Amino acid sequence: MRIPLRMFYLAIIQVILTSFIIYYFVSSQYRELSDLNVKTLETFLITQKEQELKNYIAIALSSVDHMAELSEDKKDMAKVAVANIFKNMLYNGDDGYFFIYDDKAIAIVHPKQPDRVGESWWDLEGENGDKIIQVLLANAHAGGGFYRYNWLKPSGKVKAPKLGYSIYIDKWQWMLGTGVYLDDVYSQLNNLHKEIDLHINYTKKIILIVALSSIFFIFLFGLAVNLSHKKRAEAKISELGQRIIDVQEEENRYISRELHDGIIQTLISIKYSLEATTFFLRKNKQEKPVSLKQAEDNLGFAIHEVRRISHHMHPQILDELGLSAAIENLSRDFAKQTNIEIKVSKPLLKKLLPDFINTTLYRVVQESLTNIKKHAGANCILIDISIQQTWLTLSIKDDGVGFDVNAITKQKHSGIGLRNLAERVEYQLGTFHISSSQTGTEITVKIPTKSFANYFNHLNRAVKKNDT
C-alpha cells in the first residue's frame, strides 16, 4: 500500500505547527520567567543600595553627634564645623558624597558642585518635570525617603540615574542627603537581558534545527517507503507483464500445436485422397479434371500457409532443439524468401537457456528480420549470440539504409514492435539498444545471467529431489 503524498504534507505541516507552538510557549515562558528574575534581581540590588544609603547616613550622623550637644550660643559655629565635616566626607571615589539644603532649598553643602552653595534651588526641575529639591525635602520631613532622578555623575561628567536618600536634622533644620548612581546596576541588568536574548535565540536555533531535522527525516522516511513500494509495484508489474507474455506464448504454442497436429494432418489426409483419386484416374487412363488440379494446388498452398502460421506463432523446433537451431532455421527460411545473406554466430544453446529466455531472444530475431525485410533494403545480416562473464548478448546487424531511432520511438503508432521487444527484454532485467545510421542498423540485447541463474538452481534442486 503506497502512502499518499498528502500524508507526508500533513506530517510536515504538523511538525511545523508543533515547532511553532513549542517555540512560542518556550520563548514566552522563558521570557516571562527571565523578566521576573531580572525584576527580582533589580529589586534586590535596589534594596541593597537603599540599605547602603541608610548605612552611609547613619555613619555620617554618628560622626557629628557630638556637635549637637553644643550650647545655643555656639550653634552657628557648630553648623560651620558640621558643614565642613560633610564637605570632606566622601566614599566610592568621586561619586559618593553628602549634600545639605535648608528648608528654603538653599544649598549648604555640595562637595562636587560648590558653585551651588548659597543659592536657592527651589524650582530646580528634573527631566520628568519633578521639583527635585522639593521632593527630597518632602521625603526628609516625612521621616526619610528615597527618590530616583537623573544627576550629573562626577566621575563620568554625564547625567546618570541616581537613587537619592534624604533625612531631616531638626536641630539645625537641614535636609541631609546622599545617593548612589544606578548606571552600573542598569548596565548589569542590560547585560543580563542580552544573555537572556542570546539564550532565547539559541533556543530558537535548537527548535529550528529539530524542526528541519524532523522534516528532513520524515521526507527521507517517506522517500524510502515510497521507493520501497515503487520497487514492489514495479516488480509486480514486471511479474504480471512476464505472466501475460508467458500466457500469450503458451496460447501461441497451443494454437501452433493444434494447427500442426490437427488441421495440417487433416489437410494432408485430404491431399492424400486427392492424390489417390489422381492415381485412380491415371490408372483408368482418364484425364484429370481441371478442378481437381486446382483443388490440389489450393490445398498445397493452404498446407504451406498453415505451416507458416504455425511456425510463426511458435516454432516447435525451439522447444525440441533449442534457440540455436530455431534461429538457424528461421534464418534459412528468411534467406530463401528474401535472397538476403544471413550469417549466424552462436554457441551451443540447446539446453542451456530456460524457455522464457529462448522465447524472448527468438522473438527479437523474428521481429528484427521482419523489419529488415520491410524497411532496411539490406544485402547482408549478421546475428551473433554470446555469453561472456555475467551477460548473455544478442546482436543483429544489417547493412541497410537505417532510420531515425528517436523519430520512430516518439511516434505513437510507429515502432510498436520495437517497444514490445524492449519491454520483453526489460522483464528479464536486460537492456535493449538500437543504433542506426545510413550504413546500417544494429540491435543489441543484453540479459544478465542472474535473471535465469535462479531458474537453473531451482531446476537442479528439483532434479536432485527427484533422484532421491
Side-chain angles (χ1 to χ4, degrees), residues 199-313:
H199 283 293
I200 292 178
N201 291 331
Y202 179 75
T203 304
K204 290 180 185 178
K205 292 179 181 178
I206 294 297
I207 295 174
L208 179 62
I209 291 172
V210 171
L212 292 178
S213 300
S214 300
I215 293 172
F216 178 71
F217 284 119
I218 289 174
F219 174 77
L220 286 183
F221 174 76
L223 184 62
V225 170
N226 281 334
L227 285 176
S228 176
H229 286 304
K230 184 179 179 182
K231 288 181 179 179
R232 292 178 185 176
E234 288 177 350
K236 289 182 179 179
I237 291 173
S238 178
E239 182 181 357
L240 178 61
Q242 184 59 47
R243 286 181 182 178
I244 293 173
I245 291 176
D246 292 342
V247 169
Q248 290 175 345
E249 291 295 338
E250 187 61 33
E251 185 69 18
N252 289 341
R253 184 182 287 108
Y254 173 77
I255 295 174
S256 175
R257 187 167 55 248
E258 288 297 316
L259 290 175
H260 185 271
D261 297 339
I263 295 177
I264 290 181
Q265 300 305 320
T266 301
L267 293 177
I268 289 176
S269 65
I270 295 173
K271 181 181 179 183
Y272 287 158
S273 297
L274 292 178
E275 289 177 351
T277 301
T278 301
F279 179 75
F280 177 77
L281 291 175
R282 188 180 300 150
K283 184 177 180 181
N284 291 292
K285 298 180 180 181
Q286 294 181 11
E287 185 178 354
K288 182 168 62 174
V290 175
S291 58
L292 181 59
K293 186 177 184 306
Q294 290 177 348
E296 288 180 342
D297 294 340
N298 291 336
L299 184 59
F301 178 76
I303 292 172
H304 175 76
E305 284 299 307
V306 172
R307 281 178 174 169
R308 184 185 63 80
I309 294 172
S310 173
H311 183 76
H312 181 79
M313 294 190 72

Side-chain angles (χ1 to χ4, degrees), residues 436-452:
S436 185
S437 65
Q438 295 180 353
T439 59
T441 301
E442 179 177 3
I443 295 176
T444 304
V445 173
K446 298 183 71 175
I447 297 177
T449 55
K450 66 179 181 181
S451 65
F452 53 87

Side-chain angles (χ1 to χ4, degrees), residues 314-340:
H314 189 83
Q316 289 188 354
I317 191 174
L318 185 62
D319 297 331
E320 296 171 357
L321 299 180
L323 180 63
S324 298
I327 290 179
E328 283 185 336
N329 186 64
L330 178 63
S331 301
R332 282 195 300 269
D333 291 343
F334 181 82
K336 289 178 182 179
Q337 294 174 12
T338 60
N339 293 322
I340 298 175

Side-chain angles (χ1 to χ4, degrees), residues 18-31 207:
T18 303
S19 302
F20 177 78
I21 292 172
I22 292 174
Y23 162 73
Y24 175 77
F25 280 105
V26 169
S27 299
S28 177
Q29 292 297 320
Y30 190 80
R31 175 66 72 182
I207 295 174

Side-chain angles (χ1 to χ4, degrees), residues 124-146:
L124 178 65
E125 289 187 359
E127 296 176 356
N128 57 357
D130 291 343
K131 306 291 186 179
I132 296 177
I133 306 303
Q134 291 184 33
V135 173
L136 291 171
L137 283 169
N139 290 340
H141 282 289
F146 298 95

